[in-house]
Amino acid sequence: QRISKELQFSIEQAQNMGQQYSNSIKIGFPARSTLFYLPKAIALFEEKQPTVQIVPEIQPQNDYVNAFLKKELDMILLP
């Protein structure tokens, strides 16, 4: 029962957080090592565009370029 309550609370928190955004940008990147640069880039972006949510997505080594070309990703972050 405790787990169920915590899960419901988490879902409600996520829904509330999502309401502050009017749009999102999905960023693909090839490796976890690229994560080093992402927090600073997100912070700088949020200062200028606080209503746009950044959705990072780790992609397999060569899939991120194909996903970008297919317009499944808005941007790709390269090392």
Side-chain angles (χ1 to χ4, degrees), residues 38-75:
L38 199 55
K40 186 173 181 179
I42 289 173
L44 291 170
F45 184 83
E46 285 181 341
E47 286 178 15
K48 298 185 186 292
Q49 299 292 329
T51 62
V52 178
Q53 181 182 25
I54 302 292
V55 180
E57 188 171 298
I58 296 175
Q59 296 279 323
Q61 185 64 26
N62 294 319
D63 288 352
Y64 64 96
V65 174
N66 290 330
F68 177 73
L69 293 173
K70 291 179 188 176
K71 300 185 182 204
E72 295 170 355
L73 298 171
D74 299 302
M75 300 174 71

